[in-house]
Amino acid sequence: MITTTDLTKVFRADGRETLALDGVDLHVRPGEVYGVVGTSGAGKSTLIRCVNLLERPSSGSVVVDGRELTALAPKQLREVRRSIGMVFQHFNLLARRTVQQNVELPLELTGLTRRQRAAKAAELLDLVGLGEKAGSYPSQLSGGQKQRVGIARALAGDPKVLLSDEATSALDPETTRSILELLRRLNQELGLTVLLITHEMDVIKSVCDSAALMRRGRVVESGTLSDLLATPGSELARALFPLGEASVEGTLVDITFQGDSAVQPFISQLARTYNVDINIIGAAVETIGGRQVGRMRVQLPGDFEDNVVPIGFLREQGLQVEIASGARVVEGAA
């Protein structure tokens, strides 16, 4: 649904050049929620603004729903943008317009009658749970309610794609959770493809199907969450499921489990089968995409060579196993 190829953006000011995007390749499949995460200055917001060409890339291409936006004339681009909704961090509501009038704003350019605009706005406000607030003004709303109005307005053009630029970063945790649940529901009920920008790993973990990690204008890692969890050395997997550090003797083993393996008592089976003392250093388990997934760090007594058979047993259970540390670990053991 969204593909960027070798996307580059250079900002020029006062004789200086700043490389904000450095050859970004991104592929978002139809109907998925895709999160882009990174620290401030990583290029996330520039990327999402380039997707709908609010910022025109310096080079590279952007394809949305089969159309290359970077090759379109201005009139064609305006038409295509109607199928791309955008939700902003700071709501961008007009203070002197009611909630309903804010939602109607993009519809005023479509040729709909006043009655048709009102009916569409009422339908969208009901969809986001704010039907009773149609006559209120933004100053009378909470932050979460303002963001729901922003989402309703973004849906006014019946978009196929919804872009979210740090839409929850100004909200408290409970409100953030409700907005993320709304985005997931809209994704499922309307078949929306959602591309969201965030600096919060909890957002990625709670709502996304796939994710990309950005650093200094580049995508350094990307994939579905299940694939990332199964990738040895994945930075995103470590950040999504932090296991902590521990200075212990013996062999530290990181275990990733998902699907059917997540409900198997593999630790107790290992301890009974091989009469081995296992120390659980850290663990994190979540439900992602309807599947239970997680990671666990355990300590096995002795060096790696002493634990080849127990580690093999874990892998036979369909678990992803990495050797975090262990004296005299043989090359390629991880």
Side-chain angles (χ1 to χ4, degrees):
M1 180 59 78
I2 302 172
T3 300
T4 70
T5 303
D6 199 22
L7 204 63
T8 301
K9 178 62 181 179
V10 179
F11 290 103
R12 295 177 174 86
D14 301 325
R16 291 186 175 185
E17 292 188 349
T18 301
L19 183 61
L21 297 179
D22 185 10
V24 172
D25 294 329
L26 197 71
H27 180 64
V28 182
R29 298 170 301 173
E32 76 173 340
V33 180
Y34 196 110
V36 179
V37 66
T39 57
S40 178
K44 309 183 302 297
S45 290
T46 300
L47 172 61
I48 202 169
R49 291 173 65 84
C50 282
V51 167
N52 62 0
L53 264 65
L54 289 177
E55 292 283 357
R56 183 164 285 274
S58 302
S59 63
S61 67
V62 178
V63 177
V64 177
D65 195 22
R67 302 193 70 178
E68 185 177 346
L69 271 58
T70 40
L72 296 179
K75 182 179 179 180
Q76 294 173 311
L77 181 58
R78 285 194 295 271
E79 293 174 353
V80 171
R81 277 196 182 127
R82 293 175 185 172
S83 66
I84 305 173
M86 189 157 184
V87 184
F88 300 91
Q89 175 181 355
H90 297 296
F91 320 130
N92 292 353
L93 302 181
L94 299 180
R96 295 190 177 183
R97 283 187 172 234
T98 65
V99 164
Q100 178 170 319
Q101 290 169 340
N102 268 280
V103 176
E104 287 185 32
L105 182 61
L107 297 173
E108 293 175 2
L109 306 175
T110 63
L112 294 178
T113 66
R114 180 177 297 180
R115 179 174 294 181
Q116 289 171 325
R117 293 198 304 268
K120 181 68 173 180
E123 176 187 335
L124 292 171
L125 287 171
D126 283 339
L127 184 64
V128 301
L130 285 182
E132 77 285 357
K133 296 291 184 179
S136 301
Y137 286 87
S139 61
Q140 299 171 302
L141 304 180
S142 67
Q145 289 171 330
K146 290 177 183 177
Q147 195 55 280
R148 286 174 182 266
V149 177
I151 292 171
R153 182 183 56 193
L155 297 176
D158 296 320
K160 296 180 180 179
V161 171
L162 184 65
L163 308 180
S164 170
D165 187 8
E166 297 276 12
T168 61
S169 63
L171 305 176
D172 62 79
E174 183 176 350
T175 306
T176 292
R177 186 164 50 253
S178 71
I179 293 297
L180 293 176
E181 289 172 354
L182 173 61
L183 289 176
R184 174 54 91 178
R185 179 167 63 83
L186 295 173
N187 158 256
Q188 294 171 341
E189 293 182 2
L190 304 180
L192 277 176
T193 300
V194 181
L195 175 61
L196 62 85
I197 299 300
T198 184
H199 63 274
E200 301 172 279
M201 283 295 172
D202 282 345
V203 171
I204 300 293
K205 187 161 49 178
S206 63
V207 75
C208 293
D209 302 301
S210 300
L213 173 64
M214 286 194 72
R215 184 181 296 123
R216 297 179 181 177
R218 298 187 64 87
V219 171
V220 298
E221 188 177 17
S222 64
T224 65
L225 294 194
S226 58
D227 286 346
L228 291 169
L229 286 169
T231 301
S234 167
E235 288 188 56
L236 275 171
R238 289 198 300 268
L240 289 168
F241 295 92
L243 300 179
E245 299 296 331
S247 259
V248 295
E249 296 182 354
T251 302
L252 284 183
V253 177
D254 288 348
I255 304 168
T256 301
F257 46 92
Q258 52 188 311
D260 293 339
S261 63
V263 297
Q264 300 301 317
F266 53 86
I267 293 296
S268 61
Q269 290 175 352
L270 176 63
R272 289 197 307 269
T273 302
Y274 296 99
N275 193 28
V276 59
D277 292 326
I278 304 169
N279 183 20
I280 298 176
I281 304 300
V285 181
E286 300 283 348
T287 299
I288 296 179
R291 303 178 70 203
Q292 195 173 34
V293 299
R295 298 181 77 229
M296 177 182 295
R297 174 167 290 177
V298 301
Q299 175 206 8
L300 301 176
D303 298 329
F304 172 78
E305 292 89 341
D306 302 321
N307 292 292
V308 170
V309 173
I311 290 171
F313 169 84
L314 291 173
R315 287 175 172 153
E316 288 173 357
Q317 310 311 304
L319 304 167
Q320 177 72 35
V321 180
E322 296 179 64
I323 311 305
S325 71
R328 298 190 302 277
V329 174
V330 297
E331 184 178 354

